Amino acid sequence: MNNKRIYLSVSQPSGFEQNYIQKALDDHWITCGGPNVNDFEKILEDYLKDESYVTALNSGTSAIHLALILLGVKTGDEVICQSLTFSASANPILYQGAIPVFVDSEPETWNICPEHLEIAIKDRIKKGTKPKAIIAVHVYGNPYKVDEIHAIAEKYKIPVIEDSAEALGSSYKGKKCGTFGTFGVFSFNGNKIITTSSGGVLISNSKESKEKAIFYATQAKDEAVHYQHSEIGYNYRMSNICAGIGLGQIKKLDENIDSRRRMNHFYKEVFKDIEEVKLLQTVNNDLFSNYWLSTILVEKNAKKNISRESLRLAFESKNIECRPIWKPMHLQPVFKQYPYYGKDIAEDLFEKGLCMPSGSGLTIEDKNRIKEVIYTFFNNEK
Ligand SMILES: *Cc1c(COP(=O)(O)O)cnc(C)c1O
């Protein structure tokens, strides 16, 4: 039997990339910005609708950093951030010399908990500093509680940065994720639902913000014949070659979303009679997830030697990659001195949570190998 490694999520060429890359070479646009970049932004703007302005950058992390800069976050400011996420959501807060304030998750979507968000805001205000921004994440592609979170943000007049890095194609009440915040972010890193090899975009709702983002992303050059700078700039613009990959990739976006959602359905079927496992799924039809990664919770059963880790090792022994879900930021050594509001929801999810292979290119044979590990492990041959 084929024992090739099955990964969590690998990039999947669409076959259309080469034309756009070749065009960039033929046009001598082998640099940052350029026709492919403009076209890629335009396609995303049409896809997102709702007056979205898209700025293509060299990573999702850069996009989060620029969002903080555009919101005026400076040294000593406080920024609230969902704890259960990838570290790239929080690192840019430190780039600005600001202070992250972490907030727990709620169990329905695994994302930022409205209740603890409000407790955190009130307490920070009481202590003398009103948070400058809120970073909320659609983790694994599952929309957070948009109405609740944005109602709180509006009540206290705090802008939201919507970290939609994992959620291209997800939506909430029919509106695309990435378009709810003052700023939204997508990532096109190699493991995401489509890729530009490395890249990201910043989404805003005005032409001025987009122009300002491009200004900072291209070394903050003032309008002058010579090189003139009155602000600190960054080298964050997307390259025309990467945008070419993106133009080829985006043709397969809908197809990729379909296959990720089919993987989620596959796991639903496979795990349906296994009481120790709960698959994360959207709770109602307001929420549409691209199911970038399918994730499960494994309830410990010491008698049967069932745990998140023993299941992961069973997969590993068959050369199948599974990984624990994101370790919450407030438990990370690098962030442990910063404030945290919440209980132990994120921590509990982390103890039990496992990401399953979810790539857009998994074959029937791959699925059979995955299924076999699960049935053998749970002693549940069918
Ligand atoms: C991938 C990711 C990022 C960072 O994007 P890069 O393009 O890798 O810099 C940020 N936040 C989350 C939640 C991510 O998954």
Side-chain angles (χ1 to χ4, degrees):
M1 196 178 166
N2 171 11
N3 194 37
K4 221 173 82 206
R5 186 151 176 85
I6 297 176
Y7 292 96
L8 273 195
S9 177
V10 280
S11 57
Q12 204 52 32
S14 73
F16 298 108
E17 294 89 351
Q18 196 60 53
N19 288 341
Y20 297 102
I21 296 170
Q22 192 58 48
K23 189 167 176 303
L25 298 173
D26 293 345
D27 293 349
H28 296 239
W29 269 104
I30 316 168
T31 183
C32 295
N36 283 341
V37 173
N38 297 338
D39 290 351
F40 188 54
E41 288 176 343
K42 180 73 176 56
I43 286 178
L44 281 166
E45 284 170 357
D46 292 343
Y47 179 77
L48 295 171
K49 302 194 184 77
D50 293 301
E51 299 265 330
S52 300
Y53 289 84
V54 170
T55 311
L57 302 168
N58 60 2
S59 75
T61 311
S62 307
I64 297 172
H65 189 197
L66 283 188
L68 293 170
I69 291 168
L70 291 168
L71 290 172
V73 172
K74 297 200 171 67
T75 308
D77 285 342
E78 294 192 353
V79 175
I80 290 181
C81 183
Q82 177 169 326
S83 184
L84 197 157
T85 185
F86 180 49
S87 65
S89 304
N91 283 335
I93 302 171
L94 275 293
Y95 301 168
Q96 285 306 95
I99 298 158
V101 173
F102 294 110
V103 172
D104 203 359
S105 293
E106 39 80 13
E108 252 178 35
T109 75
W110 297 12
N111 293 311
I112 192 165
C113 168
E115 198 184 316
H116 288 110
L117 171 63
E118 186 157 19
I119 292 171
I121 295 171
K122 281 185 173 160
D123 193 58
R124 297 326 289 176
I125 292 174
K126 206 170 86 192
K127 290 191 161 73
T129 27
K130 182 172 152 181
K132 268 283 184 72
I134 297 164
I135 300 175
V137 187
H138 305 293
V139 85
Y140 300 118
N142 296 288
Y144 60 75
K145 296 191 165 179
V146 172
D147 284 347
E148 288 91 330
I149 298 303
H150 286 260
I152 294 166
E154 262 165 47
K155 181 172 164 190
Y156 294 93
K157 303 262 175 297
I158 303 173
V160 176
I161 298 170
E162 194 188 345
D163 183 346
S164 206
E166 302 170 0
L168 177 61
S170 299
S171 58
Y172 180 87
K173 294 188 175 170
K175 188 167 143 72
K176 290 274 185 318
C177 289
T179 63
F180 292 99
T182 303
F183 291 103
V185 169
F186 291 124
S187 164
F188 303 109
N189 205 343
N191 59 346
K192 298 290 170 23
I193 197 151
I194 61 166
T195 183
T196 59
S197 73
S198 171
V201 293
L202 181 69
I203 299 131
S204 67
N205 43 27
S206 77
K207 194 157 172 276
E208 295 71 50
S209 295
K210 174 170 172 166
E211 281 167 359
K212 205 80 219 216
I214 294 175
F215 170 76
Y216 285 118
T218 53
Q219 308 287 22
K221 296 187 200 95
D222 294 340
E223 278 194 45
V225 188
H226 55 278
Y227 285 93
Q228 168 86 16
H229 307 273
S230 31
E231 286 186 82
I232 302 289
Y234 300 84
N235 185 4
Y236 279 176
R237 194 72 164 127
M238 184 180 279
S239 106
N240 200 45
I241 302 282
C242 293
I245 299 174
L247 285 170
Q249 283 274 305
I250 205 157
K251 291 184 192 292
K252 286 274 178 83
L253 175 60
D254 288 341
E255 219 172 282
N256 288 359
I257 294 170
D258 281 350
S259 46
R260 303 258 170 175
R261 287 180 56 82
R262 277 200 304 277
M263 275 315 286
N264 192 266
H265 186 77
F266 162 78
Y267 287 118
K268 186 180 170 191
E269 290 297 307
V270 179
F271 286 121
K272 74 170 186 270
D273 296 324
I274 299 174
E275 58 183 30
E276 289 88 354
V277 172
K278 189 170 175 280
L279 177 69
L280 176 64
Q281 292 203 296
T282 47
V283 291
N284 63 51
N285 289 337
D286 286 345
L287 308 153
F288 179 88
S289 175
N290 66 5
Y291 289 127
W292 170 57
L293 294 186
S294 285
T295 52
I296 58 170
L297 296 178
V298 184
E299 217 44 71
K300 232 189 172 107
N301 185 331
K303 253 194 276 161
K304 294 201 245 169
N305 189 29
I306 289 171
S307 70
R308 191 271 308 274
E309 189 54 13
S310 59
L311 179 58
R312 191 188 71 79
L313 290 171
F315 279 111
E316 196 53 56
S317 74
K318 299 289 178 196
N319 209 17
I320 298 171
E321 182 188 35
C322 290
R323 280 206 197 178
I325 66 160
W326 303 127
K327 180 174 178 174
M329 293 304 114
H330 72 280
L331 302 175
Q332 299 285 359
V334 70
F335 292 126
K336 68 173 188 301
Q337 71 269 40
Y338 298 109
Y340 170 70
Y341 291 84
K343 296 212 170 80
D344 51 8
I345 300 288
E347 202 167 335
D348 186 53
L349 293 170
F350 172 61
E351 292 294 321
K352 298 174 184 163
L354 193 63
C355 298
M356 303 301 295
S358 308
S360 308
L362 293 175
T363 61
I364 292 175
E365 199 189 355
D366 294 334
K367 287 184 190 177
N368 285 337
R369 281 174 59 195
I370 293 167
K371 211 175 346 190
E372 194 172 302
V373 173
I374 294 167
Y375 288 161
T376 308
F377 182 84
F378 290 99
N379 210 354
N380 202 3
E381 299 279 356
K382 286 184 189 149

